Amino acid sequence: MRDNTCIFCKIANGEIPSATVYEDETFRAILDLNPASKGHTIILPKDHYKDVCDLGETAAQKILPTAARIGKAMKKSLGCTGFNLVQNNGVSAGQTVFHFHMHVIPRYEGGPAMVSWEQQASNPEELQKTAEQIRQEL
Ligand code: AMP
Ligand code: ZN
């Protein structure tokens, strides 16, 4: 299902032009307008899902093989030596467009290695308690 108010629905379905890297019946993959590195691609399902919790079964099954295929093509075509798969869910996680998408970010020798976060200390008791909190809801 599409959402007429959603810009990524329009891009994914070809109503708004984009630098398309890949297209099939489920996805369009396009270059990000504000890339983290040369070739930064976002994979958009053609149907509207707001985030990974909402994602349809076919798109869910196909997204990782599709991302891997694009990443491998980036290595051959652009000379990157690695790539990050990034997928944000919710405002607090940095999601700015509320149509599920996966970032494929090429990484080059000598460049920044990955999307960074600040590491914090932990202790075993706290880890066990947190794990239990999550397990309770699964
Ligand atoms: P996120 O923060 O995970 O929601 O990522 C949204 C991404 O979409 C950002 O990296 C934006 O640069 C990118 N973006 C937003 N609008 C467009 C657009 N019209 N075409 C291509 N990329 C876009
Ligand atoms: Zn949409």
Side-chain angles (χ1 to χ4, degrees):
M1 278 271 273
R2 288 169 56 186
D3 175 341
N4 289 335
T5 65
C6 171
I7 186 169
F8 276 11
C9 279
K10 293 192 171 83
I11 294 172
N13 290 283
E15 286 167 32
I16 294 177
S18 61
T20 294
V21 166
Y22 173 77
E23 184 182 6
D24 64 19
E25 65 280 11
T26 310
F27 301 114
R28 181 187 296 271
I30 66 168
L31 291 186
D32 195 294
L33 268 189
N34 298 110
S37 66
K38 181 182 163 69
H40 180 167
T41 293
I42 45 179
I43 308 173
L44 317 176
K46 291 186 172 179
D47 284 332
H48 183 85
Y49 309 108
K50 74 176 182 336
D51 62 22
V52 74
C53 301
D54 192 37
L55 194 61
E57 198 177 325
T58 303
Q61 283 171 356
K62 289 177 67 179
I63 189 72
L64 275 182
T66 304
R69 189 172 164 199
I70 292 170
K72 279 193 260 182
M74 286 169 167
K75 284 170 131 182
K76 283 190 176 166
S77 59
L78 302 178
C80 62
T81 48
F83 58 91
N84 298 116
L85 301 181
V86 179
Q87 199 278 305
N88 301 324
N89 299 285
V91 173
S92 60
Q95 185 175 8
T96 58
V97 181
F98 295 88
H99 173 124
F100 172 94
H101 51 280
M102 182 169 282
H103 298 259
V104 188
I105 305 176
R107 296 301 185 187
Y108 299 88
E109 287 303 314
M114 66 178 302
V115 178
S116 64
W117 63 83
E118 216 171 290
Q119 292 190 310
Q120 295 167 43
S122 70
N123 66 65
E125 294 77 27
E126 194 188 329
L127 294 184
Q128 287 300 337
K129 195 174 155 211
T130 306
E132 175 60 18
Q133 281 180 293
I134 299 169
R135 274 201 303 272
Q136 290 290 331
E137 295 299 333
L138 289 174

